[in-house]
Amino acid sequence: MAKKLAVIGAGLMGSGIAQVSAQAGWDVVLRDVTDAALTRGTDGIKASFDKFVGKGKLAAEDAEAALGRITTSTELDAAADADVVVEAVFEKIEVKREIFAALDKVVKDETILASNTSAIPITKIAAATARPERVVGTHFFSPVPMMALCELVRGHLTSDETLATARGFAESVGKTCIVVNRDVAGFVTTRLISALVVEAAKLQESGVASAEDIDTACKLGFGHAMGPLATADLTGVDILLHASDNIHTESQDGKFAPPESMRRMVDAGDIGRKSGRGYYTY
Ligand SMILES: NC(=O)c1ccc[n+]([C@@H]2O[C@H](COP(=O)([O-])OP(=O)(O)OC[C@H]3O[C@@H](n4cnc5c(N)ncnc54)[C@H](O)[C@@H]3O)[C@@H](O)[C@H]2O)c1
C-alpha cells in the first residue's frame, strides 16, 4: 500500500518535495495557506514534469499518474492520516513552531514530523510538540528534482526509529542521505560552505589573491563546479553573511566570523547576482 505524505508549504521547496515524492509513488497532500499559493505550487510541478517529459526523461503517463497522486488543501487537518509530514514554510522559527504544535495534535501518534529548515535548530522546533523524539530535519536542496542530497538532522531527542523512517522516505524519493548527528548551527553543509566562503572573502579582502584566482584555485585545484566567491554571489552575499554570523554566534568559533568587507558589501547593496554586483559584476 502506498504511504501517505503531507507537505506543508507549496513554495519552491515544498512543491519540489511533493513532486519527487509523487513520482516515487507516495500519495501526497500539499498544504498551503491560500489557494493561490497551492495553484502556483502545482503549476510549478506540472511545468517541471513537462520539461522532464519533453527531454524524454519521464514518460507522459508516469507524469500524469504522479500528478494524480497529489491533492491540495488549505486545511492542516488534511495531514491527519499522513505517515510522514515534511514542513517547508518560510524560514521563521515562530511560524514553524506554531505549525509543529498544531500538527502534533492532528496527526497519528506514530507519524514523524520533518522540517526542511536550512538553519533553525531542529531541537527548538521539536520542543513545540509533545513528540520531540519523532521530529527530524530533512534538508533537501534546490532544485529538489535535480539535487541528489538530503541532509538528515537529529534534534537533541530524535530517536533512531525516526531517523530510520526519515532516511527510508528520502531514499525512496531518490536522494542520498548524510546524517548530522548533533543539532549544530548550519548543520554540515552550511558550515562547510560558510567556512570556505569566509576564508575566501578574507583572502580577497587582504589582497592575498583576486576573487577570480581564488575561485580558479577551487575549480581547477579541487574540482569544485563553482568557486566560493561565485557561489556567494549566486546564493546572495547577504544570505551567506547572515548564515556565517549565525554559526559564529552559536559556535563561538572564529573561523566563521565574516570579514568586515563582506558586511560593507551588504550595507552597500552589493549582494551578488540579484543586485548586479557582488564579488563580480553581472
Ligand atoms: N530555497 C532554497 O534554496 C532552500 C534550500 C533548502 C532549504 N530551504 C528551506 O525550505 C523552507 C522553504 O523555503 P522555500 O524557498 O520553499 O520558501 P518559499 O517562500 O518558496 O515557500 C514558502 C511557502 O510556505 C507557505 N506558508 C507560509 N506559512 C504557511 C503555513 N502556516 N502553512 C502552510 N504554508 C505556509 C507560503 O505561502 C509559501 O508558499 C525554508 O525553511 C527554507 O529555509 C530553502
Side-chain angles (χ1 to χ4, degrees):
M1 197 184 75
K3 288 257 190 176
K4 179 140 187 200
L5 174 76
V7 180
I8 314 298
L12 180 70
M13 299 304 290
S15 59
I17 294 164
Q19 176 181 338
V20 296
S21 303
Q23 201 181 330
W26 286 72
D27 285 325
V28 180
V29 61
L30 187 56
R31 192 261 170 166
D32 209 302
V33 281
T34 63
D35 285 321
L38 288 168
T39 303
R40 247 192 331 272
T42 48
D43 283 352
I45 295 173
K46 281 182 201 140
S48 177
F49 275 144
D50 283 348
K51 264 197 217 155
F52 283 111
V53 171
K55 287 185 186 158
K57 291 187 172 164
L58 179 67
E61 55 271 27
D62 290 342
E64 198 61 38
L67 278 173
R69 281 191 283 274
I70 301 175
T71 54
T72 60
S73 178
T74 53
E75 302 299 325
L76 201 65
D77 286 354
D81 59 346
D83 301 296
V84 174
V85 181
V86 179
E87 166 277 317
V89 306
F90 303 131
E91 188 73 345
K92 289 239 162 61
I93 185 159
E94 316 78 58
V95 180
K96 291 193 193 276
R97 281 178 54 94
E98 201 177 296
I99 289 170
F100 273 71
L103 280 169
D104 188 32
K105 298 197 174 73
V106 165
V107 300
K108 298 179 284 186
D109 282 351
E110 63 273 24
T111 299
I112 71 157
L113 304 178
S115 176
N116 192 55
T117 179
S118 22
I120 298 170
I122 297 304
T123 310
K124 286 191 181 169
I125 299 173
T129 73
R131 65 177 78 205
E133 68 287 352
R134 285 193 293 284
V135 177
V136 63
T138 50
H139 182 203
F140 288 85
F141 290 74
S142 173
V144 180
M146 307 299 296
M147 300 294 277
L149 182 65
C150 182
E151 188 174 33
L152 300 177
V153 186
R154 292 188 89 118
H156 193 66
L157 296 173
T158 305
S159 70
D160 292 343
E161 293 74 24
T162 299
L163 194 77
T165 305
R167 180 190 283 278
F169 158 64
E171 288 180 351
S172 79
V173 306
K175 304 305 173 196
T176 298
C177 297
I178 65 150
V179 177
V180 182
N181 284 312
R182 260 196 321 121
D183 191 8
V184 295
F187 310 143
V188 164
T189 50
T190 310
R191 265 173 119 93
L192 286 172
I193 193 64
S194 286
L196 187 61
V197 167
V198 163
E199 186 56 30
K202 286 179 184 162
L203 290 169
Q204 186 265 354
E205 179 192 75
S206 58
V208 171
S210 67
E212 289 83 353
D213 282 1
I214 290 165
D215 281 351
T216 299
C218 288
K219 283 191 290 186
L220 303 189
F222 307 141
H224 292 185
M226 196 185 241
L229 297 174
T231 302
D233 277 1
L234 180 65
T235 309
V237 180
D238 53 335
I239 304 282
L240 275 160
L241 177 73
H242 179 74
S244 304
D245 270 338
N246 179 42
I247 298 171
H248 180 226
T249 304
E250 292 269 334
S251 67
Q252 293 293 302
D253 184 337
K255 73 170 169 286
F256 296 106
E260 281 175 88
S261 58
M262 209 171 156
R263 225 172 276 290
R264 291 298 92 76
M265 284 171 70
V266 174
D267 292 341
D270 283 354
I271 54 175
R273 286 194 191 212
K274 57 193 170 191
S275 72
R277 194 165 58 189
Y279 286 97
Y280 299 88
T281 303
Y282 299 90

mmCIF file of all heavy atoms in Angstrom, residues 12 29 32 38 69 75 87 90 103 111 117 119 128 136 149 152 155 182 214 226 239 242 256 260 266 272:
data_model
loop_
_atom_site.group_PDB
_atom_site.id
_atom_site.type_symbol
_atom_site.label_atom_id
_atom_site.label_comp_id
_atom_site.label_asym_id
_atom_site.label_seq_id
_atom_site.Cartn_x
_atom_site.Cartn_y
_atom_site.Cartn_z
ATOM 1 N N LEU A 12 8.853 26.967 -3.332
ATOM 2 C CA LEU A 12 9.898 26.341 -4.141
ATOM 3 C C LEU A 12 10.244 24.936 -3.642
ATOM 4 O O LEU A 12 10.236 23.968 -4.403
ATOM 5 C CB LEU A 12 11.140 27.250 -4.097
ATOM 6 C CG LEU A 12 12.341 26.772 -4.877
ATOM 7 C CD1 LEU A 12 12.078 26.865 -6.367
ATOM 8 C CD2 LEU A 12 13.579 27.588 -4.500
ATOM 9 N N VAL A 29 -0.373 14.962 0.001
ATOM 10 C CA VAL A 29 -1.265 16.111 0.148
ATOM 11 C C VAL A 29 -0.380 17.327 0.408
ATOM 12 O O VAL A 29 0.518 17.300 1.245
ATOM 13 C CB VAL A 29 -2.347 15.919 1.244
ATOM 14 C CG1 VAL A 29 -1.741 15.704 2.624
ATOM 15 C CG2 VAL A 29 -3.284 17.138 1.284
ATOM 16 N N ASP A 32 -1.050 24.610 1.800
ATOM 17 C CA ASP A 32 -0.562 25.979 1.933
ATOM 18 C C ASP A 32 -1.712 26.812 2.474
ATOM 19 O O ASP A 32 -2.823 26.303 2.643
ATOM 20 C CB ASP A 32 -0.022 26.527 0.592
ATOM 21 C CG ASP A 32 1.077 27.581 0.799
ATOM 22 O OD1 ASP A 32 0.806 28.590 1.468
ATOM 23 O OD2 ASP A 32 2.196 27.392 0.291
ATOM 24 N N LEU A 38 -1.257 27.378 -3.570
ATOM 25 C CA LEU A 38 -1.340 25.976 -3.996
ATOM 26 C C LEU A 38 -1.312 25.868 -5.518
ATOM 27 O O LEU A 38 -0.666 24.983 -6.085
ATOM 28 C CB LEU A 38 -2.616 25.338 -3.438
ATOM 29 C CG LEU A 38 -2.585 25.070 -1.927
ATOM 30 C CD1 LEU A 38 -3.972 24.713 -1.404
ATOM 31 C CD2 LEU A 38 -1.596 23.947 -1.598
ATOM 32 N N ARG A 69 -1.496 11.650 -8.015
ATOM 33 C CA ARG A 69 -1.280 11.271 -6.605
ATOM 34 C C ARG A 69 -1.153 12.492 -5.682
ATOM 35 O O ARG A 69 -0.975 12.351 -4.492
ATOM 36 C CB ARG A 69 -0.012 10.399 -6.488
ATOM 37 C CG ARG A 69 -0.237 8.939 -6.894
ATOM 38 C CD ARG A 69 0.936 8.048 -6.530
ATOM 39 N NE ARG A 69 2.050 8.203 -7.435
ATOM 40 C CZ ARG A 69 2.202 7.548 -8.581
ATOM 41 N NH1 ARG A 69 1.299 6.657 -8.953
ATOM 42 N NH2 ARG A 69 3.243 7.763 -9.356
ATOM 43 N N GLU A 75 -6.301 23.303 4.535
ATOM 44 C CA GLU A 75 -6.561 22.894 5.928
ATOM 45 C C GLU A 75 -5.434 22.006 6.450
ATOM 46 O O GLU A 75 -5.022 21.067 5.776
ATOM 47 C CB GLU A 75 -7.873 22.087 6.004
ATOM 48 C CG GLU A 75 -9.091 22.814 5.484
ATOM 49 C CD GLU A 75 -9.389 24.088 6.269
ATOM 50 O OE1 GLU A 75 -9.155 24.093 7.491
ATOM 51 O OE2 GLU A 75 -9.825 25.071 5.644
ATOM 52 N N GLU A 87 7.635 19.712 6.555
ATOM 53 C CA GLU A 87 7.288 21.136 6.591
ATOM 54 C C GLU A 87 8.317 21.924 5.793
ATOM 55 O O GLU A 87 9.527 21.732 5.959
ATOM 56 C CB GLU A 87 7.220 21.584 8.066
ATOM 57 C CG GLU A 87 7.213 23.074 8.288
ATOM 58 C CD GLU A 87 8.618 23.652 8.261
ATOM 59 O OE1 GLU A 87 9.528 23.052 8.851
ATOM 60 O OE2 GLU A 87 8.798 24.696 7.617
ATOM 61 N N PHE A 90 8.076 29.318 5.320
ATOM 62 C CA PHE A 90 9.100 30.355 5.485
ATOM 63 C C PHE A 90 10.070 30.010 6.614
ATOM 64 O O PHE A 90 9.677 29.399 7.599
ATOM 65 C CB PHE A 90 8.451 31.702 5.839
ATOM 66 C CG PHE A 90 7.438 32.172 4.848
ATOM 67 C CD1 PHE A 90 6.188 32.600 5.259
ATOM 68 C CD2 PHE A 90 7.738 32.192 3.498
ATOM 69 C CE1 PHE A 90 5.247 33.042 4.337
ATOM 70 C CE2 PHE A 90 6.806 32.640 2.573
ATOM 71 C CZ PHE A 90 5.565 33.057 2.988
ATOM 72 N N LEU A 103 0.352 20.469 14.163
ATOM 73 C CA LEU A 103 0.462 19.150 13.528
ATOM 74 C C LEU A 103 0.458 18.040 14.576
ATOM 75 O O LEU A 103 -0.157 16.985 14.395
ATOM 76 C CB LEU A 103 1.765 19.061 12.721
ATOM 77 C CG LEU A 103 1.776 19.709 11.336
ATOM 78 C CD1 LEU A 103 3.207 19.769 10.805
ATOM 79 C CD2 LEU A 103 0.867 18.954 10.367
ATOM 80 N N THR A 111 3.255 9.045 13.505
ATOM 81 C CA THR A 111 3.708 9.876 12.379
ATOM 82 C C THR A 111 4.952 10.669 12.744
ATOM 83 O O THR A 111 5.055 11.213 13.849
ATOM 84 C CB THR A 111 2.577 10.846 11.965
ATOM 85 O OG1 THR A 111 1.464 10.059 11.549
ATOM 86 C CG2 THR A 111 3.003 11.762 10.838
ATOM 87 N N THR A 117 13.990 22.990 7.241
ATOM 88 C CA THR A 117 14.744 24.196 7.597
ATOM 89 C C THR A 117 16.218 24.089 7.179
ATOM 90 O O THR A 117 16.810 23.014 7.263
ATOM 91 C CB THR A 117 14.679 24.487 9.117
ATOM 92 O OG1 THR A 117 15.453 25.662 9.374
ATOM 93 C CG2 THR A 117 15.204 23.344 9.954
ATOM 94 N N ALA A 119 18.463 26.242 8.594
ATOM 95 C CA ALA A 119 19.310 26.788 9.661
ATOM 96 C C ALA A 119 18.729 26.730 11.074
ATOM 97 O O ALA A 119 19.475 26.830 12.034
ATOM 98 C CB ALA A 119 19.664 28.238 9.334
ATOM 99 N N ALA A 128 8.262 22.376 20.427
ATOM 100 C CA ALA A 128 6.884 22.879 20.352
ATOM 101 C C ALA A 128 5.884 21.728 20.334
ATOM 102 O O ALA A 128 4.677 21.956 20.345
ATOM 103 C CB ALA A 128 6.707 23.744 19.096
ATOM 104 N N VAL A 136 12.455 15.500 13.139
ATOM 105 C CA VAL A 136 13.766 15.316 12.491
ATOM 106 C C VAL A 136 13.930 16.375 11.394
ATOM 107 O O VAL A 136 12.928 16.919 10.914
ATOM 108 C CB VAL A 136 13.833 13.866 11.910
ATOM 109 C CG1 VAL A 136 12.790 13.642 10.820
ATOM 110 C CG2 VAL A 136 15.218 13.507 11.387
ATOM 111 N N LEU A 149 21.084 15.320 -2.853
ATOM 112 C CA LEU A 149 21.379 15.215 -1.421
ATOM 113 C C LEU A 149 20.176 15.511 -0.534
ATOM 114 O O LEU A 149 19.372 16.401 -0.820
ATOM 115 C CB LEU A 149 22.497 16.220 -1.066
ATOM 116 C CG LEU A 149 22.972 16.222 0.396
ATOM 117 C CD1 LEU A 149 23.641 14.901 0.757
ATOM 118 C CD2 LEU A 149 23.942 17.381 0.654
ATOM 119 N N LEU A 152 20.038 14.736 6.705
ATOM 120 C CA LEU A 152 19.143 14.356 7.808
ATOM 121 C C LEU A 152 19.716 14.889 9.106
ATOM 122 O O LEU A 152 20.897 14.659 9.401
ATOM 123 C CB LEU A 152 19.028 12.831 7.905
ATOM 124 C CG LEU A 152 18.480 12.100 6.680
ATOM 125 C CD1 LEU A 152 18.514 10.584 6.919
ATOM 126 C CD2 LEU A 152 17.054 12.548 6.368
ATOM 127 N N GLY A 155 17.605 16.062 15.984
ATOM 128 C CA GLY A 155 17.445 17.002 17.089
ATOM 129 C C GLY A 155 18.003 16.336 18.338
ATOM 130 O O GLY A 155 18.391 15.150 18.308
ATOM 131 N N ARG A 182 24.590 15.684 15.514
ATOM 132 C CA ARG A 182 24.343 16.671 16.573
ATOM 133 C C ARG A 182 23.749 17.898 15.940
ATOM 134 O O ARG A 182 24.199 18.339 14.875
ATOM 135 C CB ARG A 182 25.657 17.014 17.287
ATOM 136 C CG ARG A 182 25.789 16.258 18.592
ATOM 137 C CD ARG A 182 26.849 16.818 19.521
ATOM 138 N NE ARG A 182 28.055 17.279 18.876
ATOM 139 C CZ ARG A 182 28.501 18.526 18.960
ATOM 140 N NH1 ARG A 182 27.823 19.446 19.614
ATOM 141 N NH2 ARG A 182 29.625 18.861 18.368
ATOM 142 N N ILE A 214 41.040 33.034 -6.601
ATOM 143 C CA ILE A 214 40.567 32.164 -5.503
ATOM 144 C C ILE A 214 39.579 31.137 -6.071
ATOM 145 O O ILE A 214 39.664 29.939 -5.784
ATOM 146 C CB ILE A 214 39.908 33.021 -4.401
ATOM 147 C CG1 ILE A 214 40.987 33.849 -3.685
ATOM 148 C CG2 ILE A 214 39.148 32.142 -3.407
ATOM 149 C CD1 ILE A 214 40.436 34.989 -2.846
ATOM 150 N N MET A 226 32.038 25.233 -8.943
ATOM 151 C CA MET A 226 31.980 26.697 -8.870
ATOM 152 C C MET A 226 32.842 27.159 -7.695
ATOM 153 O O MET A 226 32.868 26.497 -6.648
ATOM 154 C CB MET A 226 30.514 27.071 -8.619
ATOM 155 C CG MET A 226 30.176 28.497 -8.877
ATOM 156 S SD MET A 226 28.464 28.794 -8.408
ATOM 157 C CE MET A 226 27.809 29.292 -9.956
ATOM 158 N N ILE A 239 22.864 36.479 2.284
ATOM 159 C CA ILE A 239 22.422 35.194 2.856
ATOM 160 C C ILE A 239 23.606 34.503 3.544
ATOM 161 O O ILE A 239 23.489 33.990 4.659
ATOM 162 C CB ILE A 239 21.868 34.263 1.735
ATOM 163 C CG1 ILE A 239 20.743 34.952 0.958
ATOM 164 C CG2 ILE A 239 21.458 32.907 2.288
ATOM 165 C CD1 ILE A 239 19.406 34.993 1.614
ATOM 166 N N HIS A 242 24.637 36.312 6.756
ATOM 167 C CA HIS A 242 23.694 36.001 7.833
ATOM 168 C C HIS A 242 23.957 34.585 8.380
ATOM 169 O O HIS A 242 24.012 34.374 9.605
ATOM 170 C CB HIS A 242 22.271 36.128 7.301
ATOM 171 C CG HIS A 242 21.220 35.817 8.314
ATOM 172 N ND1 HIS A 242 20.921 36.669 9.334
ATOM 173 C CD2 HIS A 242 20.425 34.727 8.480
ATOM 174 C CE1 HIS A 242 19.976 36.125 10.084
ATOM 175 N NE2 HIS A 242 19.663 34.938 9.579
ATOM 176 N N PHE A 256 34.327 31.151 11.534
ATOM 177 C CA PHE A 256 33.083 31.500 10.844
ATOM 178 C C PHE A 256 32.795 33.005 10.879
ATOM 179 O O PHE A 256 31.763 33.447 10.387
ATOM 180 C CB PHE A 256 31.906 30.735 11.457
ATOM 181 C CG PHE A 256 32.008 29.252 11.297
ATOM 182 C CD1 PHE A 256 32.332 28.432 12.373
ATOM 183 C CD2 PHE A 256 31.820 28.663 10.056
ATOM 184 C CE1 PHE A 256 32.445 27.061 12.220
ATOM 185 C CE2 PHE A 256 31.934 27.288 9.887
ATOM 186 C CZ PHE A 256 32.261 26.486 10.974
ATOM 187 N N GLU A 260 35.052 42.203 7.654
ATOM 188 C CA GLU A 260 34.262 43.442 7.589
ATOM 189 C C GLU A 260 33.882 43.819 6.154
ATOM 190 O O GLU A 260 32.813 44.375 5.922
ATOM 191 C CB GLU A 260 35.053 44.590 8.224
ATOM 192 C CG GLU A 260 35.009 44.565 9.732
ATOM 193 C CD GLU A 260 35.892 45.637 10.334
ATOM 194 O OE1 GLU A 260 35.404 46.758 10.512
ATOM 195 O OE2 GLU A 260 37.070 45.350 10.604
ATOM 196 N N VAL A 266 27.337 44.177 1.845
ATOM 197 C CA VAL A 266 25.893 44.024 2.089
ATOM 198 C C VAL A 266 25.274 45.379 2.419
ATOM 199 O O VAL A 266 24.206 45.723 1.906
ATOM 200 C CB VAL A 266 25.642 42.985 3.211
ATOM 201 C CG1 VAL A 266 24.160 42.934 3.581
ATOM 202 C CG2 VAL A 266 26.122 41.604 2.763
ATOM 203 N N GLY A 272 25.479 40.447 -4.868
ATOM 204 C CA GLY A 272 25.679 39.352 -5.824
ATOM 205 C C GLY A 272 24.812 39.487 -7.059
ATOM 206 O O GLY A 272 24.416 40.581 -7.447
#
